[in-house]
């Protein structure tokens, strides 16, 4: 059935050459775990992307129930966990996935650094990867407030105070994140939700696209 659908689309759009150009390429022997046990370190990037996909899918499900205002944010999360079928599992995946993706990204970054894969001609891809690292950290920080419980509230207040201490632009950063309020409030929650769901994911998709294009053109880096 799927083959018939693919053939129908391919007959009209001719997607096979496009797909072959994207997917069909040689994988170097040094990244094959069957030949080299150390090749497992090259899986960190793919595993990071896999967890990111899980975060996107689970996050899309969560936004179907989440209400981003201070009166209903915690109630919507509680309803999701207690009333929605499998809601607690999906929220747990998103919650723990936020930590796992940072760990995997750190391992991938360390692998690239210690194997010298950031050197010529891959400097631009290293810059894109570092930007992605900060995007993921930003997603973790903005998502932490959304359940609107005591831990999230006070942790965000600490984070905003740290941001405010940044030289020269600290006050502007806090105002951008928290709004005009002196404490974490309705504006903060609304802004964190918008940044977490719209702005940072949009930047992440652009950077991921650039990252994959550069990997496709330059190939997978070799061992040190």
């Amino acid at each position: 059935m799927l083959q018939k659908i693919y053939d129908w689309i391919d007959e009209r759009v001719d997607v096979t050459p496009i797909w072959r150009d994207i997917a069909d390429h040689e994988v170097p022997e040094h990244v094959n775990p069957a030949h080299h046990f150390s090749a497992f370190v090259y899986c960190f990037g793919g595993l990071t992307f896999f967890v990111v996909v899980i975060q996107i899918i689970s996050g899309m499900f969560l936004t179907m129930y989440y209400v981003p205002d201070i009166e209903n944010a915690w109630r919507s999360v509680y309803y999701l966990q207690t009333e929605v079928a499998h809601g607690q599992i999906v929220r747990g995946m998103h919650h723990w996935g936020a930590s796992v993706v940072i760990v995997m990204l750190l391992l991938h970054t360390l692998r690239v650094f210690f194997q010298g894969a950031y050197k010529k001609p891959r400097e631009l891809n290293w810059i894109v990867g570092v930007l992605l690292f900060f995007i993921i950290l930003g997603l973790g920080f903005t998502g932490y407030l959304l359940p609107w419980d005591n831990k999230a509230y006070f942790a965000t207040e600490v984070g905003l105070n740290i941001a405010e201490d940044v030289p020269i632009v600290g006050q502007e950063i806090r105002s951008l994140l928290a709004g005009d309020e002196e404490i974490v409030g309705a504006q903060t929650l609304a802004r964190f939700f918008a940044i977490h769901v719209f702005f940072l994911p949009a930047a992440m998709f652009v950077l991921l696209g650039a990252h994959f294009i550069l990997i496709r053109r330059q190939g997978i880096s070799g061992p040190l």
Side-chain angles (χ1 to χ4, degrees):
M1 182 63 181
L2 291 176
Q3 184 62 43
K4 289 182 178 179
I5 295 174
Y6 178 85
D7 292 340
W8 185 87
I9 296 173
D10 187 43
E11 185 180 352
R12 288 154 179 79
V13 187
D14 196 23
V15 296
T16 297
I18 302 173
W19 172 247
R20 283 179 177 168
D21 183 61
I22 294 173
D24 289 358
H25 62 281
E26 275 193 44
V27 177
E29 184 178 346
H30 65 272
V31 302
N32 187 346
H35 297 161
H36 302 280
F37 179 78
S38 61
F40 282 106
V41 299
Y42 291 92
C43 298
F44 291 149
L47 290 172
T48 303
F49 178 68
F50 176 72
V51 180
V52 167
V53 171
I54 292 177
Q55 290 299 95
I56 293 171
I57 295 174
S58 59
M60 292 169 64
F61 177 83
L62 294 179
T63 55
M64 295 173 64
Y65 295 92
Y66 182 73
V67 182
D69 68 66
I70 58 176
E71 294 294 329
N72 297 295
W74 184 86
R75 294 175 184 172
S76 64
V77 174
Y78 181 79
Y79 173 80
L80 173 70
Q81 290 208 156
T82 58
E83 302 295 333
V84 178
H86 311 300
Q88 189 173 13
I89 296 175
V90 177
R91 195 206 165 196
M93 291 170 60
H94 198 75
H95 173 80
W96 292 108
S99 300
V100 173
V101 72
I102 292 175
V103 172
M104 294 307 306
L105 187 56
L106 178 61
L107 291 174
H108 178 55
T109 304
L110 290 174
R111 197 280 300 174
V112 172
F113 178 78
F114 284 112
Q115 289 196 326
Y118 59 89
K119 297 178 180 179
K120 186 179 179 181
R122 297 181 173 84
E123 302 96 330
L124 182 58
N125 210 8
W126 169 258
I127 294 172
V128 172
V130 171
L131 292 175
L132 276 170
F133 191 92
F134 285 111
I135 292 291
I136 296 297
L137 290 179
L139 285 167
F141 177 62
T142 54
Y144 203 83
L145 176 66
L146 301 187
W148 198 246
D149 54 15
N150 284 335
K151 183 170 66 172
Y153 178 92
F154 289 108
T156 302
E157 185 64 45
V158 171
L160 291 175
N161 290 336
I162 294 173
E164 190 175 11
D165 290 335
V166 174
I168 304 175
V169 295
Q171 186 59 49
E172 286 71 18
I173 294 175
R174 182 185 174 97
S175 297
L176 176 65
L177 294 174
D180 297 328
E181 301 177 355
E182 292 296 325
I183 60 173
V184 175
Q187 282 192 35
T188 314
L189 182 63
R191 292 190 181 206
F192 272 50
F193 177 76
I195 294 170
H196 186 76
V197 174
F198 299 111
F199 292 97
L200 290 181
M204 182 180 68
F205 288 142
V206 172
L207 291 172
L208 278 175
H211 197 57
F212 289 141
I213 290 172
L214 289 169
I215 292 173
R216 183 67 178 84
R217 288 184 178 274
Q218 299 169 345
I220 300 174
S221 62
L224 185 66

